[in-house]
């Protein structure tokens, strides 16, 4: 950035209060923009990456070359000769390849595109990305199996979660003595720096970091609200003005047969030599297609396909007169960002167009090209655009209609040249390329000590294919059993369970659309309690940040805990700007927590960072189940809940027993997901526990309405939640288990010989009324509106409600203690059908 150039972060800095600290080089390397994202407001926009900002190809390639040479100097010639470089899709595929050029090392980048016939050697989740599942698909499975240094390249290094997840995953299979992390900018805070050092110590390895600049980003506490206001004031990007449609020339480049178009399946020294030899002739073909045009030229790559277009752009700049001043390079992307046509803002214009490679790994099928249109500055106009895609992306969606990418490019330039590269298919692999990243990541817990190694880990499920939640809200560590008939009438299930012939997790209750009367009761309860729930969410979230740090990983107990996990995740984004990973896992009374889900969490995250989340406590059975299941592991067994009337956990939002409306409904408030299922004929040793997605109940789904209604109160309760967390920090929160004692007393008084049939608290009582065969309800005398829905359900099912004193809960539900199909009445005496 010269003295005459304005910093492209000024607009955001002045209006949103965002500031860069640290190295003076940071403003040269990054500008600022605002995300159209309710969870994470700001975006660092690299000026040298060749993604969002068109840049000289010599600058883009040179930034990676310089970092690669620095890595070579760090390693020394002997170690550098054994190094392998791994880059991250989609943003850093070109940077990683350029680093490999500077190091003269083999290269592989992760991908979200699976290939039929090619088995991944690994995979991982990227937590801050719009589409998170990454696959590693080298043509040579031994590429990552060596013991030389592994160099991992990303555009920025902030929390470091993605890189550390990758290192743990790969180290569990092929341990190495040295890892080097490379990034354009290092933005870690002190806690994240300690985590990197702790990980190196934990794995017994060396971990270095090389970056072009380091520093930090200072955000105001209300950054999300400032960003929301600015986005609303700015409004949508203006439509492209009417313009004649430029011609499109399709150019068949003489791409060398068998030469990879990038590092998706590996790129070695032989490939590098072949490409260098071919580039001059390829550039000559491009120059001829431009037909003497002496204006500015943009070479535009496509998502992961960055390196080949970058090198073509560089060769074209070398060939054209004044090419270094005329030729620019950038690529399309999946990331939605606000455009503001101001010199002090990094994203001045935006083209939004339908995805054209038939993806099914992302909820959004919209893609973007930034700073391609000139906006209000004619000097920024490109006279020609060379669009480089691979054959997988050369579909009708690329060509047809004004909203297609080609349709929009034709309106912002005078000439479009389309060149389609063959998507590289390794030798021996069939020609079909699949757009779905359905192949699961592999890896096992480092602590596994069984006689045989566990099988490959399955991958998580996400909405909308599984659940009605957005894909970024929660990843379900479950097996999809939607096509398996598992439902049985409640009475049949209760009889089978109490007779010892079945476990409640082996079948499912029949779920129905709630009646209009009951749906209205839910909405009424939600209106009355939304602020109270928001305060509890904020209190428990602030407590977690204070006591567990910012690198949290949420694991909600499916399914009642999952809406709470989503709300806590939303609070952490709202109040702290965090993009917190959130998984839903199964825990079953008497069977424990899903061991395969634990393996997955252990393989992809630092186990002590995982926080298990539930909605509320009853008598504390699940609290004890969780503690027993995690004993001896690296996971923290402490359960975090919104409400702890049972007084059996330390981390809670409140200890009041009040109605959390999500307890009123079943799947229709939980993303349309069933209870979890564990049955040996359905769930194998390397399967997650199972569940069903009830798409037929979508008409009554209020899952998002529940979340949005509660989250609307976050701003109102922010100060109070932090004050409540401050009070809890100095309070004695030691569990005294008064709820468990009350359950034992009630069990004795009412002649129930199984405390599992006593369900204390509003939430548990509601579940008894919905899923089990209820016997009676005990209500604390004087409890009001919090029990309206319980009284309604009791009246519908003919269950008496008995008001009692000295009850630590608002109510307690009693399951029929000796149930058979002939059981009747509230006396507890089973009236059996006489045999004839």
């Amino acid at each position: 950035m010269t003295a005459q150039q304005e910093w492209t972060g000024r607009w955001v800095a002045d209006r949103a209060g965002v500031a860069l600290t640290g190295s003076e080089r940071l403003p040269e390397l990054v500008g600022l923009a605002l995300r159209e994202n309710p969870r994470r407001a700001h975006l660092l926009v690299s000026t040298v990456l060749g993604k969002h900002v068109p840049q000289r190809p010599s600058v883009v390639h040179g930034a990676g070359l310089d970092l690669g040479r620095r890595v070579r100097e760090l390693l020394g010639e002997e170690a550098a000769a054994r190094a392998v470089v791994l880059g991250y899709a989609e943003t850093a595929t070109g940077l990683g390849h350029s680093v490999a050029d500077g190091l003269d090392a083999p290269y592989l980048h992760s991908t979200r595109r699976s290939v039929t016939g090619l088995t991944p050697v690994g995979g991982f989740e990227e937590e801050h990305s719009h589409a998170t599942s990454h696959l590693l698909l080298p043509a040579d499975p031994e590429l990552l199996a060596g013991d030389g240094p592994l160099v991992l390249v990303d555009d920025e290094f902030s929390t470091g979660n993605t890189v550390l997840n990758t290192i743990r995953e790969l180290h569990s299979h092929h341990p190495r003595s040295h890892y080097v992390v490379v990034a354009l900018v290092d933005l870690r805070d002190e806690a994240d720096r300690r985590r990197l050092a702790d990980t190196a110590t934990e794995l017994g390895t060396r971990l270095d970091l090389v970056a072009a600049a380091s520093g930090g980003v200072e955000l105001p506490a209300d950054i999300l609200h400032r960003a929301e206001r600015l986005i609303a004031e700015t409004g949508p990007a203006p439509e492209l003005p009417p313009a004649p449609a430029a011609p499109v020339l399709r150019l068949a480049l003489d791409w060398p047969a068998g030469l990879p178009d990038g590092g998706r399946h590996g790129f070695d020294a032989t490939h590098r030599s072949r490409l260098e030899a071919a580039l001059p002739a390829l550039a000559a073909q491009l120059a001829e297609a431009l037909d003497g045009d002496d204006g500015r030229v943009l070479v535009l790559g496509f998502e992961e396909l960055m390196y080949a277009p970058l090198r073509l752009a560089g060769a074209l700049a070398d060939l054209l007169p004044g090419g270094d001043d005329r030729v620019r390079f950038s690529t399309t992307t999946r990331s939605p960002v606000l455009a503001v046509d101001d010199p002090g803002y990094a994203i001045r214009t935006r083209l939004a167009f339908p995805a054209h490679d038939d993806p099914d790994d992302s909820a959004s099928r919209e893609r973007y090209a930034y700073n391609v249109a000139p906006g209000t500055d004619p000097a920024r106009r490109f006279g020609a655009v060379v669009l480089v895609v691979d054959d997988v992306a050369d579909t009708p969606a690329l060509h047809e209609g004004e909203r297609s990418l080609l349709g929009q490019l034709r309106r912002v330039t005078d000439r479009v040249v389309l060149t389609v590269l063959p998507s590289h298919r390794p030798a021996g692999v069939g020609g079909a390329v699949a757009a779905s990243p359905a192949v699961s990541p592999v890896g096992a817990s480092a602590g596994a000590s069984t006689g045989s190694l566990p099988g490959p880990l399955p991958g998580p499920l996400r909405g909308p294919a599984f659940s009605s939640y957005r894909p970024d809200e929660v990843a379900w560590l479950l097996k999809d059993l939607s096509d398996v008939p598992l439902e049985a009438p409640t009475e049949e299930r209760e009889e089978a369970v109490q007779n010892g012939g079945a476990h409640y997790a082996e079948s499912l209750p029949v779920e129905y659309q709630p009646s209009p009367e009951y749906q209205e009761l839910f909405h009424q309860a939600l209106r009355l309690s939304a602020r109270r729930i928001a305060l509890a969410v904020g209190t428990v979230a602030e407590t977690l940040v204070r006591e567990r740090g910012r690198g949290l990983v949420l694991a909600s107990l499916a399914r009642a805990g999952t809406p709470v996990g989503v709300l806590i995740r939303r609070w952490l984004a709202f109040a702290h700007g965090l993009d917190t990973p959130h998984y839903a896992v199964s825990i079953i009374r008497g069977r424990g927590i899903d061991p395969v889900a634990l393996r997955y969490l252990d393989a992809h995250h630092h186990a002590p960072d995982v926080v298990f989340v539930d909605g509320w406590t009853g008598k504390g059975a699940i609290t004890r189940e969780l503690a027993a299941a995690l004993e001896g592991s690296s996971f923290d067994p402490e359960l975090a809940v919104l409400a702890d009337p049972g007084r059996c956990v330390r981390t809670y939002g409140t200890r009041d027993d009040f109605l959390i409306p999500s307890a009123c409904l079943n799947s229709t408030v939980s993303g349309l997901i069933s209870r979890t299922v564990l049955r040996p004929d359905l769930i194998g040793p390397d399967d997650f526990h199972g569940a069903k997605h009830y798409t037929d109940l979508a008409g009554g789904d209020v899952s998002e309405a529940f979340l949005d209604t509660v989250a609307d109160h976050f701003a109102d309760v922010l100060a109070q939640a932090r004050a409540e967390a401050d009070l809890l920090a100095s309070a004695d929160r030691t569990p005294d288990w008064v709820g468990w004692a009350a359950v034992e007393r009630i069990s004795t008084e009412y002649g129930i010989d199984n405390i599992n049939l006593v369900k204390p608290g509003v939430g548990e009582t509601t579940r008894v009324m919905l899923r089990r065969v209820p016997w009676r309800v005990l209500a604390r005398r004087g409890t009001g509106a919090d029990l309206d829905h319980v009284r309604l359900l009791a009246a519908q099912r003919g269950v008496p409600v008995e008001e009692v004193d000295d009850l630590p809960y608002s109510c307690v539900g009693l399951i029929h203690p000796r149930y058979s199909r002939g059981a009747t009445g509230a006396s507890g005496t089973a009236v059996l059908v006489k045999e004839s």
Side-chain angles (χ1 to χ4, degrees), residues 657-659 663 760-767 786-787 789-790 810-811:
D657 184 19
F658 73 101
L659 173 61
V762 178
E764 292 303 307
T765 301
T766 300
R767 294 163 111 177
D786 278 348
L787 296 188
H789 75 292
V790 172
S810 297
C811 62

Side-chain angles (χ1 to χ4, degrees), residues 86-90 108-112 120-127 129 131-137 144 150 152-154 161-170 437 439-443 459-460 462 583 600 603-605:
L86 175 63
Y88 288 91
E90 69 174 55
L108 177 74
H109 71 70
S110 66
T111 181
R112 298 187 181 106
V121 301
F124 53 90
E125 296 285 305
E126 184 181 9
E127 293 150 10
S129 174
T132 59
S133 295
H134 286 246
L135 302 174
L136 299 178
L137 295 173
L144 296 177
L150 181 63
L152 302 102
V153 184
D154 210 349
N161 287 337
T162 302
V163 170
L164 294 182
N165 291 346
T166 310
I167 290 173
R168 285 196 183 91
E169 167 80 9
L170 297 177
V439 185
S440 303
V442 300
R462 295 181 184 270
Y583 300 90
Y600 184 94
H604 291 78
H605 300 282

Side-chain angles (χ1 to χ4, degrees), residues 38-39 363 462-464 467-474 569-570 704 708:
R39 305 177 316 280
R462 295 181 184 270
S467 91
S468 60
Y469 290 134
R470 298 198 310 260
D472 59 310
E473 300 267 40
V474 58
R569 183 180 187 277
R570 288 191 180 188
E704 284 294 325
D708 292 344

Side-chain angles (χ1 to χ4, degrees), residues 313-363:
L316 181 64
D318 291 340
L319 183 64
L320 294 180
D324 194 53
D325 292 326
R326 292 173 53 197
V327 178
R328 295 293 183 270
F329 165 73
S330 65
T331 51
T332 64
T333 178
R334 300 170 177 233
S335 305
V337 186
L338 176 72
V340 179
D341 197 357
D342 185 286
Y345 188 83
I347 303 294
R348 295 188 61 175
T349 64
R350 154 173 129 165
L351 302 179
F353 52 91
H356 52 89
D357 58 342
D358 194 26
D360 64 358
D361 63 334
S362 174

Side-chain angles (χ1 to χ4, degrees), residues 689-720:
H689 290 184
K692 300 184 73 167
H693 180 198
Y694 289 125
T695 56
D696 57 310
L697 299 180
D701 188 19
V702 293
S703 304
E704 284 294 325
F706 170 69
L707 298 172
D708 292 344
T709 303
V710 174
D712 284 345
H713 291 273
F714 282 176
D716 297 338
V717 303
L718 176 61
Q720 186 178 355

Side-chain angles (χ1 to χ4, degrees), residues 412-438:
V412 299
T413 188
D414 299 325
R415 181 193 306 269
V416 178
V417 176
L418 171 65
T419 186
V420 180
L421 302 183
S423 180
H424 180 59
R425 294 161 177 82
V429 173
V433 177
S436 169

Side-chain angles (χ1 to χ4, degrees), residues 652-699:
Y652 53 84
T654 179
R655 277 181 164 161
D656 295 339
D657 184 19
F658 73 101
L659 173 61
I660 299 174
S662 60
C664 293
L665 300 173
N666 287 317
S667 64
T668 53
V669 77
S670 304
L672 299 179
I673 299 302
S674 72
R675 295 187 61 166
T676 58
V677 173
L678 181 60
R679 216 171 74 186
D681 60 321
L682 298 174
I683 308 299
D686 294 312
D687 289 334
F688 295 136
H689 290 184
K692 300 184 73 167
H693 180 198
Y694 289 125
T695 56
D696 57 310
L697 299 180

